[in-house]
Amino acid sequence: MPSLHCAVECRPFVFCLGTGKGMGLRILWPRTGRDHSVEEEEVGDAATCEFARGFDQVSDEQWRNCDAIVGVAPPSEYLDRLDKCRIVVKTAVGFDEVDLDGYGSRGIPVCNTPDYGTREVADHAIALMMTLVKSIAFHDEALRKEPVANWRPALNPYGRRLSACTFGVVGLGRIGTTAIRRAQAFDMDCVFYDPYQPNGVELALNLRRARSLEELMGQCDVVSIHTPLNDETRGLIGREALAAAKKGIIVINTARGPIIDIDALHDALKDDTVLAAGLDVLPDEPANMNAPLVAAWHRGEEWIKNRVIITPHSAFFTPESVRDIRAFSTRTALRYLQGGRLENCVNGEYLVNAR
């Protein structure tokens, strides 16, 4: 294991680690926790690791002389300090808040870490679906109130035989593919909409393909959202898409909150176009209690009770996935610094004269 050293210019809570042949390279984690064991193990002697507990705890010298940044991408006001930085690796899948153009114009590739929680998020999407279609939350709450009087085995207000249902995915990337494979295991009829997938992918995966979002929404009993958030997908599941939906559809979102117009979803639940929704993500996080859907859910209004399940953007989390994201992001930085291998770059269209 690398030994602990104090850097000359470190401020409080900034730690530098690393020994041996890699001391010429410096990797900075500007906002991290107390445990650095995973990062140290991945780096070994290949570089010096520098850890800070916040952007304001990083010295000017460290900003100017780091070769890579891993973790939360520094905001735009820090960009002009990155004199030597050759790569930024974000320890997350999403990158909608990152100044991709700003980094790219300075020759700094920005990479995400898309493969750390694929199974966890897909599992969560299926778990939300199962909780709703088997009325698990409904029965749990009812039995807690009246364990004897509410012992009603034959009551399942949202019950579906899964093998008689159509499961649709919007966005057939890593997570969408993993989720739809799980749905196939329940013998569900599976269909996807993704205009960016090449022709024939449906044959390779034994799926049906919808050629428009409206076509998908009109046939699904359950639709699960798995697209990135960008200008094209913001508000994608809005009034138009919901108006085209099969009556009684269940909507699952484990991607990004703003992909769904939450006010339109509220109205579609209210008029029973949407039977239920499982949301791990919201447009505002933590939840905006003034949003009509969130307010009605929080108050337990009769019309929405047990029809909406909200979890706190926790789909990705297991101890294994957290270790993976730390390890995978570190490897991405090292591979580029040591051999020029660029993986998972998300600002290629803006990248000018990569460092």
Side-chain angles (χ1 to χ4, degrees):
M1 295 291 290
S3 59
L4 180 65
H5 299 280
C6 271
V8 174
E9 294 193 30
C10 285
R11 297 183 183 181
F13 302 112
V14 178
F15 302 97
C16 300
L17 299 101
T19 59
K21 59 187 178 183
M23 289 296 287
L25 293 174
R26 297 170 63 178
I27 303 178
L28 173 64
W29 283 261
R31 203 169 80 186
T32 186
R34 296 180 181 277
D35 173 48
H36 311 133
S37 58
V38 174
E39 293 81 4
E40 295 170 42
E41 180 181 344
E42 290 295 328
V43 171
D45 291 334
T48 299
C49 302
E50 306 187 14
F51 302 95
R53 300 282 294 281
F55 296 135
D56 61 345
Q57 297 293 312
V58 180
S59 70
D60 189 63
E61 187 277 335
Q62 287 177 305
W63 286 123
R64 295 192 182 281
N65 290 291
C66 65
D67 295 285
I69 293 173
V70 179
V72 179
S76 299
E77 59 263 32
Y78 291 94
L79 292 184
D80 287 337
R81 302 192 203 180
L82 305 181
D83 297 338
K84 291 180 60 180
C85 183
R86 294 168 54 197
I87 186 171
V88 171
V89 183
K90 192 169 183 286
T91 49
V93 178
F95 48 87
D96 45 281
E97 83 290 0
V98 181
D99 183 0
L100 300 180
D101 190 2
Y103 279 102
S105 65
R106 291 167 173 82
I108 304 173
V110 175
C111 302
N112 69 344
T113 311
D115 49 351
Y116 74 97
T118 299
R119 286 166 289 195
E120 282 82 358
V121 178
D123 290 346
H124 199 90
I126 298 299
L128 289 171
M129 175 187 75
M130 294 294 289
T131 300
L132 291 165
V133 300
K134 298 302 294 180
S135 297
I136 291 171
F138 167 82
H139 282 303
D140 180 71
E141 182 177 335
L143 287 171
R144 194 179 302 112
K145 290 179 179 178
E146 291 287 348
V148 177
N150 287 337
W151 193 268
R152 299 170 290 184
L155 180 61
N156 186 353
Y158 317 122
R160 305 282 180 88
R161 173 178 283 180
L162 292 179
S163 62
C165 291
T166 296
F167 181 89
V169 159
V170 180
L172 197 72
R174 295 173 182 87
I175 298 172
T177 300
T178 306
I180 211 166
R181 287 180 57 239
R182 280 148 172 71
Q184 285 177 312
F186 289 105
D187 295 328
M188 300 182 78
D189 174 34
C190 292
V191 59
F192 75 94
Y193 169 66
D194 189 331
Y196 296 100
Q197 287 290 349
N199 290 333
V201 69
E202 64 273 21
L203 302 177
L205 295 175
N206 192 28
L207 300 172
R208 293 192 300 108
R209 182 172 199 157
R211 292 296 175 176
S212 70
L213 180 59
E214 290 73 23
E215 181 187 343
L216 180 88
M217 297 292 287
Q219 62 184 296
C220 289
D221 299 287
V222 181
V223 65
S224 191
I225 313 303
H226 297 287
T227 71
L229 177 63
N230 53 40
D231 290 342
E232 185 177 359
T233 62
R234 188 178 298 273
L236 180 69
I237 309 301
R239 297 190 186 280
E240 186 175 339
L242 292 169
K246 180 179 179 180
K247 189 173 180 63
I249 195 171
I250 292 173
V251 176
I252 307 294
N253 190 11
T254 55
R256 286 291 183 269
I259 295 170
I260 293 182
D261 178 341
I262 199 170
D263 292 335
L265 179 61
H266 168 275
D267 294 346
L269 281 158
K270 193 96 182 207
D271 68 17
D272 292 326
T273 297
V274 173
L275 175 66
L279 308 174
D280 183 57
V281 289
L282 295 170
D284 299 300
E285 296 177 0
N288 175 9
M289 302 310 297
N290 293 319
L293 185 145
V294 175
W297 164 83
H298 184 247
R299 288 192 296 264
E301 293 181 10
E302 207 58 42
W303 69 271
I304 202 173
K305 190 177 293 185
N306 299 308
R307 294 175 63 195
V308 172
I309 295 174
I310 297 176
T311 54
H313 205 143
S314 58
F316 75 95
F317 186 85
T318 62
E320 294 85 356
S321 71
V322 171
R323 191 194 191 288
D324 283 352
I325 196 171
R326 293 166 63 187
F328 295 172
S329 57
T330 301
R331 291 175 201 170
T332 298
L334 273 176
R335 285 170 182 158
Y336 186 66
L337 293 178
Q338 293 181 311
R341 179 177 172 181
L342 187 58
E343 299 176 336
N344 308 319
C345 180
V346 297
N347 70 334
E349 63 184 297
Y350 305 109
L351 193 57
V352 178
N353 299 322
R355 297 179 179 181

